[in-house]
Amino acid sequence: MNKEELVQEVAKKTKVSQKQVDETLASIVETIVKTVSKGKKVTLIGFGTFEPRKRAARTGRNPQTGKELKIPAKTVPAFSAGKKFKELVAKK
């Protein structure tokens, strides 16, 4: 399912216009991105948690040359599914 299909489905279920659903979804995503980029967590009970995670520096290898290279430490966005979400997916 892509964003357009999601917007259509939510609009059908909520009886709200697709434009309003699209604007709301865009606001939600923007808020999550801003919050996580500031180093904070966003938890949606029953769905999951969006959070920044630190990756340690490590040594990698160029697959073409085999030469070792240093990969610097960085912070990346991460999502952890909530218990209910995991259980529903596991049933399939």
Side-chain angles (χ1 to χ4, degrees):
M1 176 179 278
N2 62 30
K3 181 182 174 187
E4 185 180 330
E5 294 167 336
L6 177 63
V7 167
Q8 289 172 357
E9 190 69 25
V10 172
K12 261 192 242 175
K13 287 185 176 186
T14 61
K15 295 180 175 59
V16 176
S17 74
Q18 288 185 22
K19 183 178 178 183
Q20 287 175 312
V21 172
D22 187 44
E23 289 171 357
T24 303
L25 181 59
S27 294
I28 291 168
V29 170
E30 180 184 335
T31 302
I32 291 171
V33 169
K34 280 184 180 179
T35 304
V36 173
S37 68
K38 290 178 183 177
K40 298 179 180 177
K41 278 198 234 183
V42 176
T43 301
L44 304 172
I45 304 298
F47 181 66
T49 302
F50 297 90
E51 64 184 334
R53 288 199 187 139
K54 294 186 189 292
R55 282 200 184 153
R58 62 191 198 278
T59 303
R61 191 173 297 276
N62 182 330
Q64 291 180 332
T65 63
K67 184 179 176 184
E68 284 190 354
L69 55 117
K70 291 185 179 188
I71 301 170
K74 63 181 175 180
T75 303
V76 296
F79 174 76
S80 298
K83 184 179 176 185
K84 265 188 187 177
F85 190 13
K86 286 180 188 177
E87 289 171 355
L88 287 172
V89 172
K91 286 182 183 177
K92 301 284 173 180

